[in-house]
Amino acid sequence: MSSSNNPIPSGPLARRASRRVLVQHGERKIWVGGDAPVVVQSMTNTDTADAVATAIQIKELARAGSELVRLTVDRPESAAAVPYIRDQLDKMGIDVPLVGDFHYNGHTLLTEYPECAAALSKYRINPGNVGKGAKRDTQFAQMIEVAAKYDKPVRIGVNWGSLDQALLARIMDENAARDNPWTAQAVMYEALITSAIENAVRAEELGLARDKIILSCKVSGVQDLIAVYRALSKRCDYPLHLGLTEAGMGSKGIVASTAALSVLLQEGIGDTIRISLTPEPGGDRTKEVVVGQEILQTMGLRKFTPMVIACPGCGRTTSTVFQELADDIQSYLREQMPEWKKTFPGVEAMNVAVMGCIVNGPGESKHANIGISLPGTGESPAAPVFVDGQKVATLRGDNIVSEFQAIVLDYVQKNYSKAA
Ligand code: SF4
């Protein structure tokens, strides 16, 4: 994105070269890595054995824009439910590829529930949770053999909360033998990276094609994640799944994830992202999808939904009308997108400005595709509307929200219809 003619270069560094991995369900193909756009994925928090609740949540996540959805497969009842969930989604026209998350008993579930193994489009294996001692290699091999048999890609997903203890002990022994031993932090980083790469190499030796492997090394600290992925990205060309594990709740989870992922994405590192937010009680699971999309869109890496530019408000704003209008318009645009992206291609690049007074309002409104500047303190109770920089209307009264929404819809129909 940077230009040699620009004396002040902007934009992210070139994406790191990686292999491309195809994750597919039927006709739906999601490429991860190579020159494919960074993929947004999410994970359910329903009991997978509750097939109806899980299918409903997957539908919601997919409609919000999740391009892959992971679900835990933790026991026989969950494995038995997976093909039923897949079937229900297909009947609802939801073709999002599903990823099965396996720990400890994945070798048994994938072997004893072949319909589950076939219904999933990708498996996630945590090499620290495969088994202990001699069983570990056998159980890992069983899962990889199922993946190879069904031609499914695998994410080797290392997590520092469940790091392979035997491997960690080996790396610590190697460190103790050094003339200048590394810090405990450096040893931990090395153990995470080594676990991911050694297990990927082992998977290839077991017959899984190289272009079927994605890696992740999740940690919960921002600086740790950046350090680990910078090093990991230099040592392999597998596509990388980025995410801060246990990011937390509310603004903390969003800020920590954004801080970590933005640095890495700006450096061209990362092929798919998941934002691991702890939902508020009764909160909406789709928030993790929205946050992931907004990170990519605000960085200029992808476009998903028309963006609303709104001023923060200040002592000049006389009412909450402009806050409500900004919120209503953003919600309206997001709700329309599942349909609009089919009927109005390109609409995701549209900008809408909602400003609280005339100080910056008209200027910002003119830069957007559509902008409205609401009256501030002491200003006449009128809201000028700008379309492509030209003032086209002045709204007054109690119906400003619905009238502005109608202007937005009219603009979309005129400018983004396939025939336009
Ligand atoms: S545009 Fe007006 S209301 Fe909004 S922050 Fe600026 S001065 Fe305040």
Side-chain angles (χ1 to χ4, degrees), residues 310-317 322 355-361 376 379:
C311 80
C314 68
R316 286 176 165 272
T317 39
F322 105 95
M355 304 297 287
C357 80
I358 57 161
V359 170
N360 292 322
E379 296 170 8

Side-chain angles (χ1 to χ4, degrees), residues 71-312:
L71 65 173
T72 193
V73 188
D74 57 341
R75 60 193 202 277
E77 294 84 350
S78 307
V82 167
Y84 181 72
I85 292 166
R86 179 72 271 171
D87 193 44
Q88 291 302 304
L89 291 167
D90 290 342
K91 284 181 179 151
M92 292 189 281
I94 304 295
D95 60 0
V96 66
L98 300 180
V99 182
D101 199 63
F102 294 95
H103 298 265
Y104 306 111
N105 57 359
H107 58 293
T108 308
L109 298 176
L110 281 170
T111 312
E112 294 183 359
Y113 292 85
E115 289 183 15
C116 167
L120 294 167
S121 299
K122 175 170 159 251
Y123 310 150
R124 182 271 172 121
I125 301 172
N126 178 340
N129 289 346
V130 171
K132 292 204 182 340
K135 285 186 180 169
R136 191 203 166 279
D137 286 350
T138 317
Q139 292 172 181
F140 181 77
Q142 278 179 280
M143 286 194 279
I144 295 299
E145 280 158 14
V146 173
K149 177 179 167 188
Y150 289 98
D151 201 26
K152 307 288 184 183
V154 169
R155 170 163 64 101
I156 310 260
V158 180
N159 188 308
W160 81 349
S162 50
L163 193 50
D164 178 346
Q165 293 302 304
L167 180 137
L168 179 60
R170 190 190 90 207
I171 303 240
M172 287 170 78
D173 287 346
E174 289 170 7
N175 189 48
R178 284 194 174 91
D179 291 339
N180 292 308
W182 297 353
T183 63
Q185 187 183 47
V187 170
M188 177 66 83
Y189 292 170
E190 182 61 25
L192 285 159
I193 295 165
T194 302
S195 178
I197 293 178
E198 283 190 357
N199 280 285
V201 170
R202 178 82 184 117
E204 286 189 55
E205 289 168 356
L206 289 164
L208 192 65
R210 189 154 208 199
D211 63 1
K212 294 280 179 197
I213 299 172
I214 297 171
L215 298 189
S216 68
C217 285
K218 291 198 180 177
V219 297
S220 57
V222 171
Q223 294 295 351
D224 294 322
L225 193 86
I226 294 169
V228 167
Y229 272 83
R230 277 179 176 158
L232 177 64
S233 71
K234 290 196 177 97
R235 285 168 56 176
C236 69
D237 66 355
Y238 299 108
L240 300 182
H241 167 125
L242 281 190
L244 197 67
T245 192
E246 293 110 28
M249 193 178 250
S251 61
K252 188 266 169 186
I254 295 170
V255 170
S257 293
T258 307
L261 268 54
S262 300
V263 171
L264 291 166
L265 291 166
Q266 187 74 0
E267 294 178 8
I269 299 168
D271 302 289
T272 176
I273 63 171
R274 189 231 163 174
I275 310 300
S276 302
L277 296 181
T278 308
E280 312 281 348
D284 187 346
R285 190 66 170 179
T286 61
K287 182 126 186 181
E288 67 176 59
V289 180
V290 173
V291 172
Q293 290 183 332
E294 289 182 346
I295 290 173
L296 295 176
Q297 186 154 352
T298 53
M299 289 186 72
L301 296 174
R302 288 193 66 182
K303 289 184 167 62
F304 297 95
T305 299
M307 280 281 160
V308 172
I309 300 151
C311 80

Side-chain angles (χ1 to χ4, degrees), residues 361-378:
E364 193 69 64
S365 297
K366 284 179 189 171
H367 287 126
N369 295 100
I370 309 168
I372 185 168
S373 183
L374 289 155
T377 307

